[in-house]
């Protein structure tokens, strides 16, 4: 098997010299770093292949398992939201189960180094995590275009996989183990997955290893806002707790009681 050099946080700053645009230079430098350092979480492939520059919604593909990845980079720290592309395209990708795995990078421009790198698997984006932006003004070059943000706080914490944190690199073994723990979410049907992710997010926010139905019912209004077409939220909560149990995220020690695995 071919061995590749381990991940490092330094990027090739010289690539930026050929570009006057800050966004163009950042894209070239970060994508070049990705081609040298990113690896597949779904299989043992130690590298990803760059796709053609204008490939819609995808930057890299695993040469072994075929999984798609997209790299989003920014200089500012990760907060609750990260800018993405077109709102309708992202919602369609989720509905059709065609979302790529997303690498989110924060880099330091002065040193051209990676500060933080986060991965969210393709199956971990609930529709509630996609926030619609206002349409561009009539005077804009793309007048009427509607973009979106990723609301990271609406993605279950377990599915926000840290690969680099404050320049400290996690081992590929550790990262892939974390990916495998959340991979059962992929087996939940697309129609159910959004609800399951929203309920799992709430369960993890409770901060309790053992909890009752009533603990989750306390978030009924929040879930009503996220799913305005559903009029039986408590029934749906109970259903999704069972889905999470069957998917291996929860244990049910007694009626109306739950325990995180």
């Amino acid at each position: 098997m071919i061995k590749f050099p381990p991940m490092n946080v330094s990027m090739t700053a010289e690539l930026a010299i050929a570009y006057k645009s800050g966004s163009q230079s950042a894209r070239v430098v970060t994508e070049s770093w990705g081609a040298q350092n990113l690896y597949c979480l779904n299989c043992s492939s130690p590298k990803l292949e760059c796709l053609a520059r204008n490939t819609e919604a995808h930057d890299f593909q695993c040469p072994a398992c075929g999984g798609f990845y997209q790299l989003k980079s920014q200089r500012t720290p990760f907060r609750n939201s990260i800018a993405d592309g077109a709102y309708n395209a992202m919602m369609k990708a989720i509905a059709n189960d065609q979302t790529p795995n997303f690498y989110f990078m924060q880099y330091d421009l002065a040193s051209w180094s990676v500060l933080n790198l986060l991965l969210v698997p393709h199956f971990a984006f609930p529709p509630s995590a996609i926030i619609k932006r206002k349409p561009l003004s009539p005077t804009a070059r793309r007048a009427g275009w509607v973009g979106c943000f990723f609301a990271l706080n609406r993605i279950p914490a377990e599915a926000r996989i840290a690969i680099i944190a404050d320049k400290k690199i996690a081992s590929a073994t550790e990262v892939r183990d974390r990916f495998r723990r959340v991979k059962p979410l992929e087996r939940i049907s697309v129609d159910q997955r959004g609800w399951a992710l929203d309920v799992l997010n709430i369960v993890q926010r409770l901060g309790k290893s053992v909890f009752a139905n009533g603990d989750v019912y306390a978030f009924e209004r929040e879930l009503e806002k996220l799913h305005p077409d559903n009029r039986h939220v408590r029934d749906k909560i109970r259903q999704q707790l069972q889905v999470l149990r069957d998917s291996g995220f929860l244990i049910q020690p007694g009626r109306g009681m739950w325990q995180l695995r």
Side-chain angles (χ1 to χ4, degrees), residues 81 87 91 127-133 147-151 154:
S81 64
Y87 173 80
M91 295 299 285
S128 63
I130 312 304
I131 309 301
K132 193 174 187 178
R133 300 173 69 175
C148 67
F149 290 102
F150 293 122
R154 293 185 181 175

Side-chain angles (χ1 to χ4, degrees), residues 195-208 210-224 233-242 244 250 256-260:
W195 260 102
L197 287 165
D198 289 337
V199 172
L200 178 60
N201 188 31
I202 287 171
V203 166
Q204 292 180 341
R205 283 161 50 193
L206 289 174
K208 299 179 178 181
V210 179
F211 61 94
N213 284 349
D215 293 313
V216 188
Y217 292 162
F219 295 84
E220 183 175 1
R221 289 194 176 183
E222 178 179 327
L223 289 167
E224 282 178 348
V233 174
R234 291 196 175 195
D235 291 342
K236 198 70 175 180
I237 288 172
R238 290 193 298 272
Q239 179 195 60
Q240 295 309 309
L241 290 171
Q242 292 169 12
L244 293 171
L250 300 176
M257 297 298 299
W258 306 91
Q259 181 178 341
L260 281 166

Side-chain angles (χ1 to χ4, degrees), residues 169-235:
I169 304 169
S171 71
T173 299
E174 176 188 348
V175 170
R176 286 179 171 132
D177 283 345
R178 292 189 63 188
F179 182 87
R180 279 192 288 271
R181 284 201 293 270
V182 296
K183 190 172 170 60
L185 290 168
E186 187 177 29
R187 298 197 295 267
I188 300 174
S189 69
V190 175
D191 292 341
Q192 293 280 353
R193 195 184 297 156
W195 260 102
L197 287 165
D198 289 337
V199 172
L200 178 60
N201 188 31
I202 287 171
V203 166
Q204 292 180 341
R205 283 161 50 193
L206 289 174
K208 299 179 178 181
S209 59
V210 179
F211 61 94
N213 284 349
D215 293 313
V216 188
Y217 292 162
F219 295 84
E220 183 175 1
R221 289 194 176 183
E222 178 179 327
L223 289 167
E224 282 178 348
K225 290 180 181 179
L226 297 179
H227 301 272
D229 295 334
N230 191 288
R231 296 288 180 259
H232 305 282
V233 174
R234 291 196 175 195
D235 291 342

Side-chain angles (χ1 to χ4, degrees), residues 56 86-99 130 190:
E56 186 177 359
Y87 173 80
N88 286 337
M90 187 61 192
M91 295 299 285
K92 182 179 178 182
I94 291 175
N96 293 329
D97 207 12
Q98 295 176 342
T99 313
I130 312 304
V190 175

Side-chain angles (χ1 to χ4, degrees), residues 43-171:
C43 73
S44 60
S45 177
K47 67 174 294 185
L48 300 177
E49 293 181 344
C50 284
L51 296 173
R53 182 159 295 173
N54 294 321
T55 303
E56 186 177 359
H58 303 125
D59 296 322
F60 303 93
Q61 185 174 22
C62 175
C65 70
F68 289 104
Y69 291 79
Q70 188 166 359
L71 175 64
K72 292 282 184 182
S73 58
Q74 61 183 53
R75 287 180 288 171
T76 55
F78 299 140
R79 303 196 187 280
N80 282 339
S81 64
I82 295 177
D84 188 38
Y87 173 80
N88 286 337
M90 187 61 192
M91 295 299 285
K92 182 179 178 182
I94 291 175
N96 293 329
D97 207 12
Q98 295 176 342
T99 313
N101 301 289
F102 274 87
Y103 275 111
F104 296 112
M105 174 202 291
Q106 181 203 357
Y107 65 93
D108 177 63
L109 181 60
S111 62
W112 280 113
S113 59
V114 182
L115 300 178
N116 294 287
L117 184 68
L118 191 72
L119 182 125
V120 177
H122 67 91
F123 47 77
F125 290 95
S128 63
I130 312 304
I131 309 301
K132 193 174 187 178
R133 300 173 69 175
K134 293 181 179 179
L136 294 182
S137 68
T139 57
R141 182 171 60 87
R142 293 189 292 171
W145 182 82
V146 179
C148 67
F149 290 102
F150 293 122
L152 288 182
N153 61 335
R154 293 185 181 175
I155 295 170
E158 203 171 355
R160 289 175 258 154
I161 302 173
I163 298 170
I164 299 175
D166 295 328
K167 289 192 173 184
K168 295 180 180 178
I169 304 169
S171 71

